[in-house]
């Protein structure tokens, strides 16, 4: 995984914002950079664990359960790769926006740079990410329900095969061991789905928190600007500031 802060276009933009005292804009860009990095890290971990689980699913003895689990694992793989596609798109957009922002700064100055950062619509982008990952988390929850029905199916099959095995010497212990092994695989897959679901939910929450924090900051800056203008208009008299600690 690349460190976005070290990417030439991002590093140049962040340095320029810092040198021009544009901390609010720098904070907004950094929020998006941090979120993209967190997404990539989380998704990479998910995919690695899923690949290991895929190998274990292939060893399930019950062919019907194995096929159903393989289908669920593939669906989860698709969801994770959907997340990676989003990461790539966000990175490409960020690089392009950073390039455009620096071009605007060189041609028109600081105000144009500030406008370029606002044009990135970072809180809105984070809102969209929250919606996407909320849906993926819910999808995983539904897959867990399907997995629970497989547990029931396995218990039913286990009882049937055990009764059959009693008719043949040496059959029951083998059937019991296979069923126990399959049950263990389903349990581990259920735990993985739970972890993936929580990972998606975490990215949903982080996106919402980051977007809300930026919006609150924008409101504070807007109110302070209005208060400063009002103070100037009233000849420097003190005015009520709702953001001062009381």
């Amino acid at each position: 995984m690349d460190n976005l802060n070290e990417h030439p276009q991002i590093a140049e933009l962040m340095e320029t914002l810092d040198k021009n005292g544009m901390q609010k804009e720098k904070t907004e860009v950094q929020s998006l950079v941090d979120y993209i990095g967190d997404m990539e890290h989380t998704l990479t971990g998910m995919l690695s664990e899923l690949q290991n689980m895929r190998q274990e699913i292939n060893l399930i003895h019950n062919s019907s359960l194995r096929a159903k689990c393989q289908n669920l694992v593939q669906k989860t793989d698709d969801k994770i790769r959907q997340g990676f596609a989003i990461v790539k798109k966000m990175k490409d957009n960020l690089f392009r926006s950073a390039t455009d922002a620096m071009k605007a700064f060189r041609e028109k100055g600081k105000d144009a740079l500030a406008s370029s950062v606002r044009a990135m619509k970072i809180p809105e982008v984070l809102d969209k990410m929250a919606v996407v990952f909320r849906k993926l988390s819910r999808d995983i929850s539904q897959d867990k329900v399907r997995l629970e029905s497989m547990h029931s199916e396995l218990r039913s099959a286990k009882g049937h095969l055990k009764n059959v095995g009693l008719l043949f010497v040496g059959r029951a212990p083998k059937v019991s061991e296979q069923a126990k092994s399959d049950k263990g695989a389903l349990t581990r897959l259920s735990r993985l789905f739970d972890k993936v679901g929580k990972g998606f939910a975490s990215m949903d929450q982080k996106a919402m928190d980051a977007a809300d924090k930026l919006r609150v900051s924008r409101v504070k800056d807007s109110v302070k600007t209005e208060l400063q203008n009002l103070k100037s208009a009233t000849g420097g008299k003190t005015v009520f500031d709702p953001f001062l600690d009381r």
Side-chain angles (χ1 to χ4, degrees):
M1 293 182 295
D2 298 329
N3 184 342
L4 280 182
N5 284 302
E6 297 176 358
H7 191 282
Q9 290 160 290
I10 304 304
E12 182 183 22
L13 174 60
M14 300 299 280
E15 182 180 3
T16 301
L17 292 171
D18 190 49
K19 286 182 177 180
N20 284 273
M22 303 172 69
Q23 293 305 312
K24 178 173 68 69
E25 290 80 4
K26 181 181 178 182
T27 297
E28 292 203 3
V29 175
Q30 189 64 57
S31 294
L32 184 59
V33 168
D34 290 344
Y35 184 72
I36 292 174
D38 190 46
M39 281 174 58
E40 198 166 23
H41 176 76
T42 301
L43 291 168
T44 298
M46 287 180 181
L47 191 60
S48 177
E49 291 193 49
L50 191 67
Q51 296 304 332
N52 293 333
M53 191 68 230
R54 190 190 294 274
Q55 296 176 12
E56 187 170 351
I57 292 301
N58 291 335
L59 300 177
I60 289 180
H61 298 89
N62 186 302
S63 59
S64 176
L65 290 175
R66 182 172 64 248
K68 291 178 181 178
C69 286
Q70 288 171 336
N71 182 55
L72 286 179
V73 166
Q74 185 57 52
K75 286 176 60 180
T76 303
D77 186 285
D78 292 342
K79 291 181 179 69
I80 295 173
R81 293 189 187 278
Q82 180 182 341
F84 275 116
I86 293 171
V87 169
K88 184 181 184 305
K89 184 175 181 180
M90 289 180 71
K91 289 169 74 170
D92 290 344
N93 289 341
L94 180 58
F95 296 152
R96 183 168 54 253
S97 295
T99 299
D100 292 344
M102 290 307 303
K103 180 181 179 182
F105 174 69
R106 295 188 189 97
E107 294 178 352
K108 301 179 181 179
K110 183 176 176 180
D111 289 343
L113 178 57
S115 295
S116 295
V117 173
R118 286 195 298 273
M120 292 182 187
K121 297 183 178 180
I122 294 176
E124 291 82 359
V125 169
L126 291 170
D127 285 336
K128 291 180 180 179
M129 291 304 96
V131 172
V132 170
F133 286 113
R134 190 174 308 137
K135 182 181 183 304
L136 291 175
S137 179
R138 289 172 179 170
D139 288 345
I140 290 293
S141 295
Q142 293 175 356
D143 288 341
K144 276 196 65 180
V145 172
R146 296 187 181 96
L147 200 57
E148 290 173 2
S149 70
M150 293 182 197
H151 271 285
S152 298
E153 182 180 337
L154 179 60
R155 284 192 293 270
S156 176
K158 179 181 176 181
H160 173 70
L161 292 174
K162 184 175 181 180
N163 290 334
V164 172
L166 292 176
L167 300 176
F168 302 95
V169 178
R171 176 73 184 276
K174 182 179 180 180
V175 170
S176 178
E177 290 172 6
Q178 291 179 348
K180 183 177 180 180
S181 176
D182 290 355
K183 181 180 178 182
L186 289 180
T187 298
R188 287 186 286 277
L189 180 57
S190 179
R191 289 173 182 166
L192 177 58
F193 279 178
D194 186 58
K195 187 173 183 179
V196 171
K198 288 180 178 178
F200 285 145
S202 173
M203 285 188 281
D204 165 20
Q205 188 63 52
K206 288 178 180 179
M208 288 194 298
D209 290 345
D212 289 344
K213 185 176 181 180
L214 294 180
R215 272 189 283 266
V216 169
S217 178
R218 285 185 177 185
V219 170
K220 286 184 177 181
D221 287 341
S222 177
V223 170
K224 287 181 180 179
T225 298
E226 290 181 7
L227 288 173
Q228 289 172 353
N229 293 337
L230 180 59
K231 188 174 181 179
S232 297
T234 56
K237 294 181 180 180
T238 301
V239 295
F240 172 69
D241 185 343
F243 292 107
L244 285 177
D245 293 331
R246 300 295 176 183

